[in-house]
Amino acid sequence: MSAMSENVSGLPLSSAGPTCLWHSALVNRTRLVLAMAVTAILPYAYGRALVVYSQYRVLEPRFLIQLAVATLAVMALTFGLAPRFSRRTAWISFGVVFAIWMAFYTFLVFAYNGEQLPAWLVFAGFVPATLWVLWLAWIFFLPIPWFLRGTVLGILVVATIPYLTLFEINGLTGDTHVNFALRSQKKTAIFDAQAGEIEGKGVKLVENRLTDFPAFQGPDRTAVLHNVKLARDWNEHPPRELWRVAAGSGWSSFAVVGGYAFTLEQRGNQECVVARDLKTGHEVWVHKDEANLPRNQLMGGPGPRSTPTVFEGRVYSIGATGIFNCLDGGTGRVIWSKNILADVGGDLPGHGVSGSPLIVDELVIVDPTGRADASLAAYKRDNGERVWAKGHDAAAYASPMLASFGSSTQILNNTTRGLTAHDPRSGAILWHYDWSNEDGVICSQPITNAGAPDQVLLTAGYSAGSQLLKVTRDDKGVWSASPVWERPSRHMKTKFTTAVLRDDFVYGLDDGIMQCIDVKTGQQKWKGGRYGHGQILLVDDLIVVQTEPGPVVLIEASPKKLVELGKVNALSSKTWNCPALAGKYLLVRNDTEAVCY
């Protein structure tokens, strides 16, 4: 009986032992696998935080929280875990995590590095600055003495100093690649006016409608010029450089009237409207406003985005934070000024206010952002009094433009959700067509008279291609727009640029590659020429391509194939600014310099 009792009481011990051991091993392996999985959050969160800090000297709270939570989670999962494995298993596990970490950053650097520095140099500076995060997260798991753990952590923290000291970020490319640069490469621009404003001596703007380029993308705001002839062979007859000057930051273009060129630049903490003599490049006058985009909204770089509009001797300009100026074109004197965002109760968009002013009779039309019911506003040209503010959705990053459908003149305005047509006098919405992309970011201008007088071509980017609309009015006077193509075309993803139309064929940069499509069908005719997310101008049957890397290329506007007719190495760094062609003068600029040919 006693023997039987001993046997019975021993049964649970002998049967539970292996089960408990198996359960414990499963828990340990699960903790290890979970720690590895959570570690996958760390490289992107820290890499993003490090890039943003080295560019703007600000820390993004969202990614800092991700980084802290993921690091603490890995620490908790690995605390006391190493003794449950052999030293060999522990080191192999950490080696796998380290290999994955290095593979991730290798891919990240070589896939998303810009063109300013070689990828190997960026890798050598950037990756050592990340290793302390990995070491800290796994510090409880490592099977080594605490003194050694702390010493290695200190060394890895110090390894971030070379990167933060020697490297900086010069913004992103159009494909969101990161432009790393050495700090020694940074040049401080020297301007004619170092302090205070330059007041003009009263130069007179004598308008010449045949040669002036008075607004964004030209007289018609279509990036199409009809009265200019260019030499067709830039290899035999290259453009002659007339002047080259330093320019402040920003993506504004030039407006040219009466022998003077006007643009917007960021100089330190001041947003400047700059007037230059067209033939010499010398500053005639400079108007300055204390304004700068917040550091957390500088993904596209600092500085104004819009182009001034010149009309009847006055310069109308809009800065990135919404400062709306009416200046005397001869002197730079302020006639009136206001902030369009504050005036309509709007908000600053992620990339700053970008739309350029549009003149319609006695009104100047602008597109404030942040309010769906005030995405377009009209002000009196003479005194700046607001006449109306209307809208269907929040404004996007394009500019308002005029269009005619029969006897009706309408203002077309791209919004985050589509295209809206307004009555110029009242601002009333005439029609709206929902068509956008998943980011709600539209930068391109619509193309009117696309294949027929009552048709409009929309192009986008960020995953969306193009769509052709037919605009009609019924018997009751109600306007509407409907698609012409059976389904949107996957072609002509223009993103930053605006496509141009010639003889029923559309030419534009499709995700940075020149493309020609048939406007009647939306089908591709050809595609070639990797020019990046630059800008274009159609001049008769020629296209001037301002490439994103900086050179200017001349090509034929032919539906048969891509034919390059020459290239000028005008600029040497990222260029998102539109070229301006006033008579025989071609002006190009980016965020560091401006050139006239």
Side-chain angles (χ1 to χ4, degrees):
M1 194 72 174
S2 174
M4 184 178 291
S5 298
E6 290 177 2
N7 289 336
V8 171
S9 62
L11 283 174
L13 292 175
S14 59
S15 61
T19 302
C20 290
L21 290 174
W22 178 85
H23 178 73
S24 177
L26 179 61
V27 170
N28 294 336
R29 292 191 182 95
T30 301
R31 287 172 60 187
L32 183 60
V33 171
L34 284 175
M36 290 179 171
V38 175
T39 303
I41 300 173
L42 295 176
Y44 179 77
Y46 180 68
R48 165 83 183 224
L50 188 58
V51 166
V52 170
Y53 179 77
S54 57
Q55 183 175 8
Y56 309 124
R57 287 298 187 262
V58 295
L59 296 172
E60 293 182 296
R62 177 162 60 103
F63 290 98
L64 286 181
I65 292 172
Q66 287 183 13
L67 188 64
V69 171
T71 301
L72 292 174
V74 174
M75 286 180 169
L77 288 167
T78 58
F79 184 79
L81 193 60
R84 302 174 186 272
F85 295 93
S86 67
R87 287 180 63 87
R88 182 172 180 272
T89 301
W91 279 115
I92 289 176
S93 301
F94 182 73
V96 169
V97 174
F98 178 77
I100 294 173
W101 184 277
M102 295 299 290
F104 176 86
Y105 275 117
T106 300
F107 167 77
L108 207 64
V109 169
F110 282 83
Y112 291 98
N113 176 49
E115 300 178 350
Q116 291 189 238
L117 288 180
W120 66 265
L121 182 58
V122 175
F123 183 88
F126 187 80
V127 175
T130 71
L131 296 178
W132 71 271
V133 176
L134 176 64
W135 189 266
L136 178 64
W138 285 80
I139 199 166
F140 289 122
F141 181 77
L142 301 167
I144 56 177
W146 272 103
F147 171 77
L148 189 55
R149 298 186 214 193
T151 301
V152 174
L153 178 62
I155 293 172
L156 293 179
V157 169
V158 172
T160 64
I161 295 176
Y163 170 76
L164 295 175
T165 304
L166 300 176
F167 290 81
E168 66 177 358
I169 307 296
N170 283 343
L172 305 178
T173 69
D175 290 322
T176 64
H177 290 185
V178 181
N179 279 327
F180 291 90
L182 295 177
R183 291 190 181 275
S184 60
Q185 293 179 327
K186 189 172 183 179
K187 298 179 180 178
T188 302
I190 300 176
F191 303 106
D192 291 353
Q194 292 299 313
E197 296 197 0
I198 293 182
E199 292 187 1
K201 297 180 180 180
V203 298
K204 188 175 182 179
L205 302 186
V206 180
E207 296 184 5
N208 185 335
R209 296 185 181 276
L210 293 178
T211 59
D212 285 346
F213 196 92
F216 174 61
Q217 294 190 334
D220 302 326
R221 301 168 71 94
T222 58
V224 178
L225 299 178
H226 303 285
N227 300 315
V228 181
K229 295 291 183 179
L230 297 179
R232 301 186 65 85
D233 189 347
W234 279 9
N235 294 316
E236 289 291 328
H237 306 284
R240 178 173 61 88
E241 184 176 317
L242 195 60
W243 51 260
R244 181 181 296 263
V245 296
S249 299
W251 309 118
S252 175
S253 179
F254 282 101
V256 184
V257 170
Y260 297 92
F262 306 87
T263 191
L264 278 158
E265 304 177 8
Q266 188 75 39
R267 299 181 178 182
N269 292 322
Q270 294 177 320
E271 222 171 38
C272 303
V273 184
V274 182
R276 295 186 181 277
D277 186 293
L278 179 60
K279 295 182 180 180
T280 65
H282 293 156
E283 292 179 359
V284 176
W285 56 257
V286 178
H287 168 75
K288 301 181 179 181
D289 290 299
E290 292 290 332
N292 207 343
L293 282 173
R295 287 184 177 272
N296 61 350
Q297 292 182 291
L298 291 175
M299 180 179 293
R305 279 82 166 102
S306 69
T307 299
T309 299
V310 185
F311 187 77
E312 293 186 353
R314 293 184 174 184
V315 177
Y316 300 88
S317 66
I318 298 178
T321 60
I323 296 176
F324 184 19
N325 288 321
C326 173
L327 308 175
D328 183 278
T331 64
R333 178 180 59 86
V334 178
I335 298 172
W336 53 260
S337 180
K338 59 180 55 190
N339 189 297
I340 59 174
L341 299 185
D343 189 56
V344 301
D347 300 318
L348 186 63
H351 299 289
V353 178
S354 302
S356 301
L358 168 68
I359 303 297
V360 181
D361 298 326
E362 299 306 313
L363 301 177
V364 53
I365 313 296
V366 297
D367 48 358
T369 47
R371 280 191 57 176
D373 60 349
S375 57
L376 200 68
Y379 295 84
K380 290 183 178 180
R381 288 195 293 111
D382 58 349
N383 60 16
E385 177 187 344
R386 175 154 54 91
V387 178
W388 52 258
K390 305 285 185 177
H392 187 278
D393 303 293
Y397 297 100
S399 298
M401 63 183 295
L402 278 179
S404 295
F405 301 101
S407 60
S408 175
T409 299
Q410 304 176 7
I411 300 174
L412 304 184
N413 190 40
N414 270 316
T415 69
T416 54
R417 288 181 51 197
L419 184 67
T420 306
H422 296 256
D423 178 81
R425 295 194 175 278
S426 66
I429 296 174
L430 300 176
W431 56 268
H432 174 84
Y433 186 79
D434 268 345
W435 190 82
S436 187
N437 47 44
E438 58 190 24
D439 298 290
V441 175
I442 304 292
C443 303
S444 305
Q445 300 296 108
I447 300 177
T448 59
N449 298 315
D454 58 354
Q455 293 183 170
V456 180
L457 179 67
L458 306 180
T459 67
Y462 298 95
S463 76
S466 52
Q467 177 61 287
L468 184 65
L469 305 181
K470 181 180 179 65
V471 180
T472 58
R473 180 168 54 179
D474 63 19
D475 295 338
K476 297 180 180 179
V478 178
W479 290 91
S480 63
S482 57
V484 177
W485 299 335
E486 183 177 347
R487 61 179 60 87
S489 172
R490 60 187 176 86
H491 302 302
M492 208 52 65
K493 297 182 288 294
T494 48
K495 200 168 185 177
F496 293 168
T497 190
T498 293
V500 294
L501 174 71
R502 177 178 168 80
D503 297 336
D504 288 337
F505 296 99
V506 180
Y507 303 86
L509 293 169
D510 179 84
D511 275 341
I513 304 174
M514 186 59 71
Q515 184 182 55
C516 173
I517 67 171
D518 189 326
V519 74
K520 296 180 180 179
T521 64
Q523 296 303 306
Q524 176 179 294
K525 302 298 292 183
W526 56 259
K527 188 174 183 179
R530 294 183 177 274
Y531 304 128
H533 296 277
Q535 306 289 343
I536 65 175
L537 277 179
L538 175 65
V539 186
D540 195 20
D541 64 339
L542 301 174
I543 298 176
V544 177
V545 183
Q546 172 59 73
T547 69
E548 184 179 15
V552 176
V553 179
L554 186 68
I555 68 172
E556 283 187 350
S558 168
K560 297 180 180 180
K561 62 179 180 178
L562 172 67
V563 178
E564 289 192 2
L565 301 173
K567 181 174 73 171
V568 178
N569 292 319
L571 301 164
S572 58
S573 60
K574 182 176 69 179
T575 305
W576 290 341
N577 316 62
C578 295
L581 185 61
K584 62 181 180 180
Y585 299 100
L586 173 66
L587 294 97
V588 295
R589 60 154 294 194
N590 56 17
D591 61 340
T592 59
E593 59 182 342
V595 193
C596 178
Y597 290 93

